[in-house]
């Protein structure tokens, strides 16, 4: 397992749409392991493959409830609304308020190729939506709300 370099917001790879994973390969499993190591090393709660320069629809998330690996994730349903400050390992040191759903239901494959559904509220819903946005070339700064001056 290895720590990979995290691409920063000016890197054009972060603006590209990722391709679906067609088969589970040893390289894909290594990517999942490396992404988890990289996320933990950087004290993040999520990391998407384009953030390490790989244009595949792969995400890892850990909001404090254990590692979740998502291959080809698709948002099936969202509801509610929450506004909170959001950051990103690809936009270091910056935070901005972003409105996200308070609930998200996502279908994905696990590392064994099994399809599963994960549901999340609050931080998990935010992380799911944030990381899946990365797979479509969208950064949180694209959705940031204007900050009101005091």
């Amino acid at each position: 397992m290895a720590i990979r370099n995290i691409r920063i917001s000016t890197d054009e790879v972060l603006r590209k749409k990722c391709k679906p994973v067609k088969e589970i390969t040893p390289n894909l499993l290594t990517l999942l392991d490396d992404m988890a190591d990289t996320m933990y090393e950087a004290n993040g709660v999520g990391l998407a493959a384009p953030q390490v320069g790989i244009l595949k629809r792969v995400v890892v998330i850990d909001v404090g409830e254990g590692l979740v690996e998502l291959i080809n994730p698709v948002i099936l349903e969202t509801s509610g609304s929450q506004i909170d400050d959001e950051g990103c390992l690809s936009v270091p040191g910056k935070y901005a308020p972003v409105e996200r759903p308070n609930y998200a239901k996502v279908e994905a494959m696990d590392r064994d190729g099994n399809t599963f559904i994960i549901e999340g509220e609050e931080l998990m819903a935010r992380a799911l939506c944030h990381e899946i946005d990365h797979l479509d070339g969208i950064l949180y700064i694209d959705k940031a709300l204007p900050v009101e001056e005091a």
Side-chain angles (χ1 to χ4, degrees):
M1 286 168 264
I3 305 300
R4 300 203 183 195
N5 290 327
I6 297 174
R7 304 297 179 97
I8 303 305
S9 60
T10 53
D11 192 319
E12 64 186 40
V13 75
L14 294 172
R15 295 303 188 169
K16 296 184 186 293
K17 190 169 175 79
C18 295
K19 294 189 181 333
V21 172
K22 290 189 171 35
E23 67 177 312
I24 308 293
T25 63
N27 283 346
L28 180 71
L29 299 179
T30 299
L31 174 64
L32 284 165
D33 293 339
D34 289 356
M35 286 174 58
D37 289 347
T38 303
M39 174 187 71
Y40 289 129
E41 178 73 17
N43 294 315
V45 298
L47 191 69
Q51 292 181 273
V52 293
I54 307 294
L55 291 173
K56 297 257 184 226
R57 298 190 76 79
V58 177
V59 165
V60 295
I61 296 173
D62 188 343
V63 296
E65 300 167 3
L67 181 65
V68 177
E69 298 173 328
L70 304 168
I71 300 168
N72 297 336
V74 176
I75 296 173
L76 300 176
E77 183 183 329
T78 62
S79 65
S81 176
Q82 59 170 313
I83 297 174
D84 203 354
D85 281 350
E86 211 164 288
C88 179
L89 295 175
S90 292
V91 188
K94 300 211 184 306
Y95 300 89
V98 177
E99 184 171 3
R100 297 273 188 194
N102 199 53
Y103 165 83
K105 180 178 183 179
V106 172
E107 181 179 81
M109 278 191 319
D110 65 18
R111 63 171 42 231
D112 297 318
N114 300 310
T115 300
F116 69 100
I117 290 180
I118 183 168
E119 297 176 273
E121 294 181 325
E122 298 174 354
L123 180 57
M124 183 54 131
R126 177 174 296 280
L128 288 165
C129 293
H130 176 114
E131 298 308 331
I132 292 170
D133 273 355
H134 272 298
L135 304 180
D136 293 317
I138 299 166
L139 299 178
Y140 87 92
I141 51 179
D142 302 332
K143 296 184 170 193
L145 300 171
V147 179
E148 295 179 17
E149 298 295 322

